[in-house]
Amino acid sequence: MCGIVGIYGHNSVNQELYDALTMLQHRGQDAAGIITNEGSRLHLRKENGLVRDVFSKDEHMMRLRGPVGIGHVRYPTAGASSSAEAQPFYTNMPFGISLSHNGNLTNAEELKQELFAEDRRHLNTESDSEVLLNVFAHELLVQSRMKLTAEDIFAAVSGVHRRCRGAYAVVAMISGYGLVGFRDPFGIRPVCYGSRDTPNGKEYMIASESVALDALGYDFLDDIAPGEAIYIDMEGKLHRRQCSHNPIYSPCIFEYVYLARPDSVIDDIYVYKARLRMGIKLAEKILREWPEHDIDVVIPIPDTSRVAGAEVAARLGVNYREGFIKNRYIGRTFIMPGQAARKKGVRQKLNPVDVEFRGKNVLLVDDSIVRGTTSQEIIQMARDAGAKKVYFASASPPVRYPNVYGIDMPTASELVAHGRTLPELEKLLGADRLIFQDLNDLIDAVRHKHSQIERFDCSVFTGEYITQDISAEYLSQLELFRSDAAKLKRSRGPQSVIELQNAGVG
C-alpha cells in the first residue's frame, strides 16, 4: 500500500507536497519521495524513511523548486526495499515522465518481457511501478507528435488499460505539459482530486485520500472513476475522459476496514460512517448469537477500531473504555517486516491501563485479524493486566487469502485464519470467545446507500480475485517472493534476488 499526491500550482509546491505526504503517511512508512518541475529542470529527492526524515529543509526542500510536482510514500509489497525502489520513478523518453503508483500489477512479469523484447525499454529495479511507468511512456511514444494533446494522453492511458492488469492508482507528471491522474478499470485503489482558487488562478491536487485535500485547503471535486483519467495542462485547464471500454466499480473493501483514515471520503463513502456501521452490524451479530453475554466492558484496539468499538458498546449497553494507550511513534505492526519485529512492536506500541481490565470480562474490538501476532499479544496483555475473561471481536471477516492488489498480505501460510476453524483460532490466539463480522454485513455497512459501486474487492476474505487472472501458480510464486522468509533472504544480498528471478519471480 502506498500514498500518492500531485499538485499543479502557480508558485513552488514543495512545501505543500511535503504536507500532503504527511497526511498520507499512514499509507506507507518505508520510503518517501518528491519530484518537481521547474521550467526545463526536474528536482528529485527520495529515500527510505518517514517523510519528516527524508526531507531536510535546508538540504532538500529548498532545492525542490517548481510549480508542479508529485510525491509518494511507500510500503513495499513487491520489489525490494532499497532506496532505489523508492518513488517517484522517472524516464526521459519521451518528453520526460515522472510517476507515482499505488497498487500492484498482476501481470508485471509478462510486461517486463514485452518492454524488453518489443518496446526496447530497459528497467533498473524490481518495482512494478517502474514497469507501469515504462508502459505509459511507450504508449505516449506511440501517440507522440511535436506537441502532446489531451487526446494523445488519454489514448496512452487507454493503451495502459489494455496492457496492464491488477490495481493501479497513478499520478504522473509530463515535463512541460502538466499532471495526469488515472485509475485501473476496477477502481481497486483510491484516488481523488480537488481545486482551490488563488489570485493567480486555480490550483489542483490529486491524492490517494481526500484528507490531504482538506488539510491544504483544496475543495474536493471528485474521485477519479474506474478507468478514468484526468489531465491538468500547464494553462490550468482540467480535462477528463473515460479511457476504459468496460469499467466495473470494484473498490477494495479493506480500505474502509483498515487502510484509510476515518476522516477521508472514498468513492463518495465516508470512512468514519462505514466504520460506525461496522460496529452496529457487529453488535447486532453478538446480540443475535450471544444474547446472554457477560461482557462488562468494550475496549478498542487503537486507532482504527475506535469508531466501531464505541458503537458496539453503545448497542450492547455496556461501558466503553480506552484500555490501551498507544505510542504514537511506533508504526503499523501488521506491515512490519518479520514476525519477531511485529511481536516486539505490539508491546512497544500499546500499553494497558490495568484498572480497566482487572477482574472484568473484557470484549476487545479490532478492525481485523491478519497475521494474528498483534491479536495474540494483545489478548495476553489483557490477561496480564488482570482481565477475568477476554473476548475478541473483529469488525471484518477472517482474512484467509493473500492480497495481490497492493496490500502486504502476501502469503496464505502467514495468515492466521487460513485453513483454521473458529475453535482452532480461539485456542491459538488465546481468546475465551472470538467473533467475526459476517461478509454480507460488512458489505452492507460500507456500501450503505451508494449504489454506484457495483461490487467490492473482497478477495482477502473470499479468495475470489476480481481481475480473474490469479492462478494457484501465481500465488505460489508470490509466496516465494513476498513472504517474510523471502524478504529476509533478499536483504542478505543480491544473489537471493537472482535466485528468485531464475525461479520466474520478480
Side-chain angles (χ1 to χ4, degrees), residues 297-300 313 318-324 356 360:
V297 62
V298 172
I299 295 177
V318 302
N319 290 328
Y320 171 87
R321 293 289 185 268
E322 293 282 348
F324 288 103
E356 297 297 347
K360 298 177 183 177

Side-chain angles (χ1 to χ4, degrees), residues 101-106 128 165-169 184 188-189 405-406 467:
H101 162 225
N102 176 31
N104 184 58
L105 300 184
T106 57
D128 64 330
R165 299 196 302 269
Y168 48 94
D184 71 75
I188 299 171
R189 303 262 74 85
Y405 301 126
T467 52

Side-chain angles (χ1 to χ4, degrees), residues 117 219 286 398:
D219 295 322
I286 293 170

